[in-house]
């Protein structure tokens, strides 16, 4: 049975479908700058690999802000199609909106955690996080004044820290997607009203801020980002999960492979929308409530503290536990039933004492322990998951999509995927 989901944005309630219960939850927002942080970086000629050895010099692209360094390190084996009767892997994707390091140490904290557990993630980088505020008039946001942004520009020190961590993330095998730029969620300038042409402008600007940070900052003593962003960028998540319908035609023209902007998705196997894989945040159980919550830190926060990011501290232990159990319940429901991929969205923020960061870490560690028990669990980026989807037989994916939330396939996986010649359109399965 599909339960109602509470969905809200920072600027107010999103429209709920007919018959939906009055409820709350939040769409994601970018990080906001905080106090200064320090920076140390090596020279631009050589880059240390994650193992500590020295890699060959990079081949600069453009002004040298980015560079070609060869195949991305630490990628999984090439994906292969499911065998007849094989149980699908349980894919889990942790993703981060904004992906700026603002001196709170959260970006390196989760890079360390991912490395410890062999996990890959997706970092949706906000282009403005590599643009100095002194150059903000280079940004011309659709339907908004030049230089405007509803998230703050970073200090120079924080831009340097962000560059350092984005560089490390890619070398560790993670994906660098986009969270676009100014994060406009309300009023006449909202991204929800942007046209396909305006989305193209926003994307080209986001790419330019990544590809030209050296020109825009004047810094010459920092190493390049070790990737070609024109080739690296194959997907994103829109601010506040708005505007996907008009984004998709542009994304398709640009050759993007997926979009992670849909709100209120369900824990079922995904399909393509306008030729692009639609990989939404998902409704997951919310312990103690009859409704479900979107699988993102800010949505859980909205339901716990009514949009307050600094609620009374005596609530934190219970809320941390509830958030942890919500993520684990979402994972467990998929893992023990239809094996639909599990998507989680986050922000590098210390809302309500940082309890949501603790909850995400606790959930990832729980999933890693389940993996160590021998389960075919794959902690991957959206790009890596899309690689797997693209090599599967269409009839197999169609059959997987017939298994509902919390349902096991009728007769077990060995029988269910043995013959996919007739997929049917009626959900097929047994309650978990």
């Amino acid at each position: 049975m599909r339960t109602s989901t509470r969905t809200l944005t920072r600027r107010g309630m999103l429209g709920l479908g007919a018959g939906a219960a009055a409820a709350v939850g939040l769409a994601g927002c970018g990080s906001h700058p905080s106090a200064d942080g320090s920076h140390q970086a090596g020279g631009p000629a050589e880059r240390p690999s994650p193992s500590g050895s020295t890699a060959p010099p990079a081949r600069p692209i453009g002004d040298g802000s980015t560079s070609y360094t060869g195949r991305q390190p630490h990628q999984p084996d090439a994906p292969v199609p499911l065998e007849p009767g094989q149980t699908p892997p349980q894919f889990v994707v942790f993703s981060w909106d904004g992906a700026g390091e603002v001196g709170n140490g959260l970006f390196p904290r989760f890079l360390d955690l991912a490395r410890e557990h062999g996990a890959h993630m997706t970092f949706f980088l906000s282009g403005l996080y590599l643009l100095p505020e002194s150059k903000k008039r280079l940004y011309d946001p659709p339907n908004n004044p030049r230089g405007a942004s509803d998230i703050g520009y970073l200090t120079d020190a924080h831009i340097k820290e962000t560059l350092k961590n984005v560089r490390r993330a890619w070398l560790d095998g993670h994906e660098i997607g986009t969270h676009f730029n100014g994060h406009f969620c309300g009023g006449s300038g909202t991204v929800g009203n942007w046209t396909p042409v305006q989305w193209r402008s926003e994307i080209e600007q986001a790419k330019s801020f990544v590809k030209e940070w050296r020109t825009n900052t004047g810094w010459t003593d920092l190493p390049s980002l070790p990737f070609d962003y024109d080739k690296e960028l194959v997907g994103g998540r829109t601010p506040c999960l708005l505007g996907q319908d008009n984004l998709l035609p542009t994304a398709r023209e640009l050759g993007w492979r997926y979009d992670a902007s849909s709100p209120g998705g369900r824990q079922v196997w995904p399909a393509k929308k306008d030729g692009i894989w639609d990989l939404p945040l998902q409704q997951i159980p919310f312990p103690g409530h009859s409704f479900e919550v979107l699988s993102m830190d800010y949505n859980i926060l909205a339901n716990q503290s009514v949009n307050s990011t600094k609620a009374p501290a005596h609530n934190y232990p219970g809320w941390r536990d509830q958030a942890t159990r919500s993520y684990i319940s979402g994972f467990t429901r998929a893992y023990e039933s239809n094996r639909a991929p599990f998507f989680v969205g986050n922000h590098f923020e210390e809302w309500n004492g940082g309890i949501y960061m603790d909850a995400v870490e606790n959930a990832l560690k729980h999933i890693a322990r389940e993996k160590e028990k021998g389960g075919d669990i794959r902690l991957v980026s959206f790009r890596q998951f899309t690689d797997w989807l693209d090599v599967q037989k269409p009839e197999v994916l169609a059959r997987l999509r017939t298994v509902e939330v919390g349902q096991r396939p009728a007769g077990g996986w060995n029988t269910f995927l043995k013959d996919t010649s007739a997929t049917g359109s009626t959900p097929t399965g047994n309650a978990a």
Side-chain angles (χ1 to χ4, degrees):
M1 176 179 176
R2 182 175 179 177
T3 58
S4 61
T5 303
R6 296 192 171 188
T7 307
L8 187 75
T9 71
R10 277 184 171 183
R11 292 179 173 267
M13 299 278 286
L14 290 175
L16 296 174
V24 240
L26 278 172
C29 300
S31 302
H32 195 279
S34 55
D36 263 1
S38 59
H39 169 78
Q40 293 180 345
E46 295 184 337
R47 59 178 174 84
S49 73
S51 63
S53 61
T54 300
R59 188 169 76 233
I61 300 171
D63 68 356
S65 296
T66 59
S67 56
Y68 176 75
T69 58
R71 184 179 183 273
Q72 186 176 12
H74 303 288
Q75 294 304 292
D77 294 337
V80 295
L82 284 172
E83 297 285 343
Q86 181 181 356
T87 302
Q90 178 61 58
F91 290 97
V92 180
V93 182
F94 286 94
S95 58
W96 301 87
D97 288 6
E101 172 50 39
V102 295
N104 55 23
L106 291 174
F107 203 150
R109 170 182 168 181
F110 283 94
L111 289 177
D112 290 344
L113 184 70
R115 186 182 292 183
E116 179 183 355
H117 296 288
H120 291 130
M121 302 178 178
T122 292
F123 296 93
F124 291 123
L125 176 63
S126 293
L128 287 189
Y129 285 173
L130 300 187
L131 181 69
E133 188 167 11
S134 62
K135 298 292 184 68
K136 69 180 184 180
R137 289 190 61 79
L138 292 175
Y139 177 42
D140 186 14
N143 301 339
N144 287 277
R146 181 176 286 274
S149 173
D150 279 0
I151 55 173
Y153 288 83
L154 302 191
T155 66
D156 285 0
H158 292 154
I159 294 174
K160 292 178 180 180
E161 284 295 313
T162 298
L163 284 166
K164 175 182 175 181
N165 284 281
V166 168
R167 183 181 306 112
R168 178 187 163 189
W170 191 86
L171 291 172
D172 277 3
H174 304 290
E175 176 192 9
I176 311 301
T178 187
H179 198 43
F180 306 92
N181 294 306
H183 210 282
F184 303 102
C185 297
S188 60
T190 173
V191 301
N193 296 335
W194 289 0
T195 67
V197 171
Q198 289 174 325
W199 275 115
R200 179 177 281 273
S201 171
E202 178 77 354
I203 292 166
E204 291 304 320
Q205 291 185 79
K207 289 168 65 176
S208 74
F209 299 145
V210 176
K211 293 159 57 179
E212 299 171 9
W213 63 262
R214 197 178 294 281
T215 295
N216 294 332
T217 64
W219 300 331
T220 59
D221 60 339
L222 303 178
S224 302
L225 293 174
F227 51 81
D228 181 343
Y229 203 42
D230 285 326
K231 296 179 180 178
E232 172 70 12
L233 183 56
V234 296
R237 179 177 289 138
T238 61
C240 291
L241 310 180
L242 297 173
Q244 187 195 55
D245 287 347
N246 282 339
L247 167 65
L248 289 179
T250 297
R252 186 174 61 250
E253 291 173 2
L254 293 173
W256 284 17
R257 300 174 60 201
Y258 73 87
D259 179 67
S261 305
S262 295
R266 301 166 65 237
Q267 287 190 277
V268 293
W269 282 87
K272 285 187 175 182
K273 188 175 182 180
D274 292 342
I276 304 290
W277 286 110
D278 184 25
L279 307 178
L281 293 172
Q282 300 162 322
Q283 301 171 19
I284 58 174
F286 193 37
H289 297 280
S290 59
F291 59 87
E292 299 195 330
V293 67
L294 285 188
S295 51
M296 175 173 270
D297 50 11
Y298 202 63
N299 297 79
I300 296 175
L301 173 151
N303 284 281
Q304 291 177 331
S305 57
V306 194
N307 207 18
S308 171
T309 61
K310 293 182 180 180
H314 63 82
N315 294 304
Y316 295 169
W319 286 350
R320 179 188 294 109
D321 178 68
Q322 185 182 48
T324 299
R325 287 188 293 121
S326 185
Y327 290 135
I328 291 175
S329 295
F331 163 77
T332 302
R333 179 165 69 181
Y335 185 45
E336 295 181 352
S337 62
N338 63 0
R339 288 290 178 99
F342 180 44
F343 305 141
V344 177
N346 312 281
H347 304 80
F348 290 135
E349 291 281 4
E350 295 180 304
W351 297 319
N352 287 339
I355 61 174
Y356 306 104
M357 298 293 91
D358 295 340
V360 169
E361 179 171 341
N362 293 339
L364 191 149
K365 288 179 176 178
H366 172 88
I367 294 167
R369 286 193 296 270
E370 291 299 309
K371 180 180 178 182
E372 290 168 3
K373 293 177 183 177
D376 189 1
I377 299 169
R378 306 184 191 182
L379 291 140
V380 298
S381 67
F382 278 119
R383 181 174 191 157
Q384 291 165 346
F385 176 55
T386 302
D387 289 342
W388 186 89
L389 288 174
D390 283 344
V391 303
Q392 303 308 309
K393 297 178 181 178
E395 59 268 24
V396 170
L397 294 177
R399 176 66 68 90
L400 289 172
R401 284 193 287 268
T402 68
V403 191
E404 265 291 348
V405 178
Q407 297 276 312
R408 294 192 183 101
W413 289 110
N414 183 62
T415 301
F416 186 71
L417 289 182
K418 203 156 209 176
D419 178 11
T420 55
S421 58
T423 59
S425 58
T426 302
T428 307
N430 300 314

